[in-house]
């Protein structure tokens, strides 16, 4: 048992993201909405998180907002790209 501190301030960025993913997986929703889960992480941590997400999200809808390259993820059906546009 560890004390996380107020708002889990004792966690690193990677630990906080892994904890957030664990909470999501424990809740077991039908749809996952995930925003920038790998931002600010090293390559190994990013790969671990994406591997876990890919393995558990088999029968779910996953909406993933990211700047990471997801073209090599299995079962990706659509990739939407949006260029910055100051008019919209």
């Amino acid at each position: 048992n560890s004390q996380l501190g107020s708002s889990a301030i004792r966690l690193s960025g990677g630990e906080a993201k892994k904890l957030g993913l664990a909470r999501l997986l424990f809740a077991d929703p039908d749809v996952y909405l995930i925003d920038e889960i790998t931002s600010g992480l090293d390559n190994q941590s990013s790969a671990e998180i994406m591997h876990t997400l890919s393995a558990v999200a088999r029968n779910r809808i996953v909406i993933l907002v990211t700047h990471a390259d997801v073209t090599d993820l299995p079962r990706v059906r659509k990739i939407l790209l949006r260029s910055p546009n100051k008019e919209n």
Side-chain angles (χ1 to χ4, degrees):
N1 293 335
S2 298
Q3 294 294 322
L4 300 179
S6 178
S7 299
I9 59 173
R10 293 186 182 172
L11 296 177
S12 70
E15 291 169 333
K17 288 182 188 245
K18 288 177 183 178
L19 179 59
L21 181 57
R23 286 178 174 164
L24 174 72
L25 299 178
F26 184 74
D28 197 29
D30 293 330
V31 178
Y32 293 167
L33 176 58
I34 304 170
D35 184 21
E36 292 294 351
I37 195 165
T38 60
S39 69
L41 300 180
D42 60 69
N43 289 339
Q44 181 179 348
S45 294
S46 294
E48 289 171 2
I49 286 176
M50 294 308 286
H51 175 75
T52 299
L53 182 60
S54 178
V56 299
R58 287 196 169 130
N59 296 317
R60 304 217 172 20
I61 296 170
V62 177
I63 300 170
L64 182 64
V65 178
T66 184
H67 287 92
D69 181 10
V70 295
T71 56
D72 61 342
L73 287 178
R75 297 180 301 281
V76 171
R77 296 206 178 131
K78 268 190 188 178
I79 298 176
L80 304 174
L81 301 175
R82 182 159 190 261
S83 297
N85 185 344
K86 294 182 181 181
E87 294 178 14
N88 291 337

